[in-house]
Amino acid sequence: MSNLKLAIQRKGRLTDKSVELLKLCGLDIESYFERLVVTARNFPLEILFLRDDDIPEYVQDSVADAGIVGENVLFEKQTTTMEMEKLGFGRCSLIIAHPEKNQLKSINEIDGKTIATSYPNILKNFLKKNKINAKIIELSGSVEIAPSLGVADLICDIVSTGNTLMMNKLKKSFNVFDSEAVLVSSKATLNNPEKNGILQDLLGRIRSVKNARDSKYLMMNIPKTSLERIVEIIPSLKSPTVLHLADENMLAVHAVIPSNKFWHIIEDLKAAGASGILLLPIENLIQ
Ligand code: ATP
Ligand code: MG
């Protein structure tokens, strides 16, 4: 049986999160430090560690069967590689920024300006969509220093916190593209029954990890008389589980809830008589 070859970033912002996701999917991956290829011990998967820029092309050319890469890189490279699933990490935005001293109020003011970027294709699309004529200067790195060097009026670059912008006396003006890490694959992989079978298994596991990340297991004890009120309060995915306790005036209630709801309901639960409230992480959730 052949393995699915999955390309992930070798060393960078996506590396640890990609490996962590695969481990949460139940894959037993040996220590990957300084290795180029690693085989999972309990799943037909080989991990290839590559530069993130190369991943879309390698997947397109079937050097790898699938990959994990940022949407910014995926869209910039304009390959036939397909996005299969958003992964919820590596979030960042491609933005246009201007020197602090030169205000940029409306998007039309970009017209006639020079913009330095490492993302000429995404920027070109954005300018075209907004009917703007601007000159694009392609730089492979350190884009943020272009305005102070007099190379460009504006920049179009990735930000997540904005610290680099501030250090270079730049200010964000317009959002061009929001990005996160995605699982990508190719037609060739989907058309190969064996590889596609492994890919679908992996995708199912990834979805279950994503569901679990967004959900928590809530447990509490309640007076029997409060059951109706408590069930009303709990934003449960399914009907909560109700268990008897040794004290026959009390019940235990368990439910899977969306993580972000917990702090909204806690006061109501306490007011309804809930005690011993526990909120536990869930490792996997298959719906
Ligand atoms: P490589 O050596 O693999 O080419 P790189 O230097 O191009 O690495 P990183 O800086 O490690 O890339 O970023 C990898 C990806 O992480 C980016 O393409 C983007 O999708 C995502 N990312 C998340 N936050 C940020 C950020 N603040 N700055 C840059 N990229 C970010
Ligand atoms: Mg790169």
Side-chain angles (χ1 to χ4, degrees):
M1 188 167 155
S2 60
N3 284 343
L4 187 83
K5 290 195 211 106
L6 176 77
I8 70 172
Q9 192 186 20
R10 178 164 146 72
K11 200 169 174 205
R13 291 174 205 259
L14 302 181
T15 308
D16 288 348
K17 286 275 169 67
S18 303
V19 172
E20 183 191 302
L21 173 67
L22 296 173
K23 286 188 171 165
L24 285 170
C25 287
L27 307 198
D28 186 358
I29 301 161
E30 52 191 311
S31 155
Y32 57 94
F33 194 62
E34 296 299 319
R35 301 270 306 268
L36 295 181
V37 183
V38 163
T39 309
R41 290 199 190 91
N42 56 352
F43 194 79
L45 184 92
E46 249 169 68
I47 304 172
L48 314 183
F49 290 92
L50 302 171
R51 283 206 53 202
D52 70 341
D53 313 61
D54 298 331
I55 291 176
E57 263 174 53
Y58 277 162
V59 173
Q60 168 183 263
D61 299 345
S62 294
V63 176
D65 305 309
I68 294 179
V69 69
E71 286 172 309
N72 52 322
V73 174
L74 177 66
F75 288 100
E76 182 57 32
K77 296 296 174 186
Q78 303 193 320
T79 58
T80 57
T81 301
M82 297 177 297
E83 179 169 328
M84 307 295 292
E85 183 80 17
K86 294 191 194 289
L87 301 176
F89 62 86
R91 286 210 172 92
C92 56
S93 300
L94 192 61
I95 58 123
I96 291 181
H98 59 84
E100 274 168 5
K101 53 184 172 24
N102 311 335
Q103 276 303 324
L104 194 63
K105 288 192 201 82
S106 102
I107 201 158
N108 296 324
E109 288 176 38
I110 298 176
D111 219 82
K113 297 264 187 324
T114 307
I115 313 174
T117 189
S118 310
Y119 295 89
N121 290 323
I122 296 180
L123 179 58
K124 219 179 288 163
N125 276 335
F126 173 82
L127 294 175
K128 199 169 151 199
K129 220 171 60 201
N130 289 285
K131 302 196 172 58
I132 291 165
N133 262 315
K135 186 170 173 212
I136 298 175
I137 303 226
E138 184 176 350
L139 299 177
S140 57
S142 303
V143 168
E144 62 283 353
I145 60 168
S148 59
L149 293 179
V151 175
D153 304 311
L154 309 169
I155 67 159
C156 172
D157 204 5
I158 294 283
V159 290
S160 56
T161 59
N163 279 345
T164 316
L165 287 185
M166 227 161 62
M167 271 161 37
N168 289 283
K169 296 195 166 32
L170 295 169
K171 249 177 106 176
K172 173 185 164 170
S173 53
F174 303 104
N175 218 40
V176 174
F177 185 79
D178 289 320
S179 173
E180 67 183 275
V182 289
L183 183 83
V184 295
S185 189
S186 66
K187 270 237 163 71
T189 305
L190 299 184
N191 288 337
N192 176 325
E194 206 174 5
K195 301 236 183 208
N196 188 37
I198 306 168
L199 180 69
Q200 296 307 323
D201 185 344
L202 183 65
L203 267 172
R205 293 180 187 213
I206 288 174
R207 287 182 189 130
S208 122
V209 170
K210 277 174 65 187
N211 286 336
R213 202 160 43 196
D214 298 337
S215 305
K216 290 262 158 47
Y217 196 72
L218 176 68
M219 299 164 70
M220 74 197 95
N221 294 337
I222 63 162
K224 223 175 201 168
T225 49
S226 304
L227 182 60
E228 215 172 303
R229 174 75 191 116
I230 295 278
V231 171
E232 262 172 27
I233 299 168
I234 297 176
S236 179
L237 290 179
K238 295 226 173 76
S239 174
T241 306
V242 180
L243 304 164
H244 292 285
L245 294 178
D247 176 348
E248 48 179 56
N249 296 319
M250 299 290 287
L251 294 170
V253 175
H254 297 183
V256 175
I257 62 161
S259 313
N260 57 3
K261 292 281 165 65
F262 180 66
W263 296 106
H264 298 288
I265 61 168
I266 183 83
E267 289 308 323
D268 289 345
L269 290 175
K270 284 201 279 191
S275 59
I277 302 172
L278 279 179
L279 190 69
L280 307 176
I282 299 171
E283 218 166 83
N284 279 277
L285 178 62
I286 292 140
Q287 282 175 319

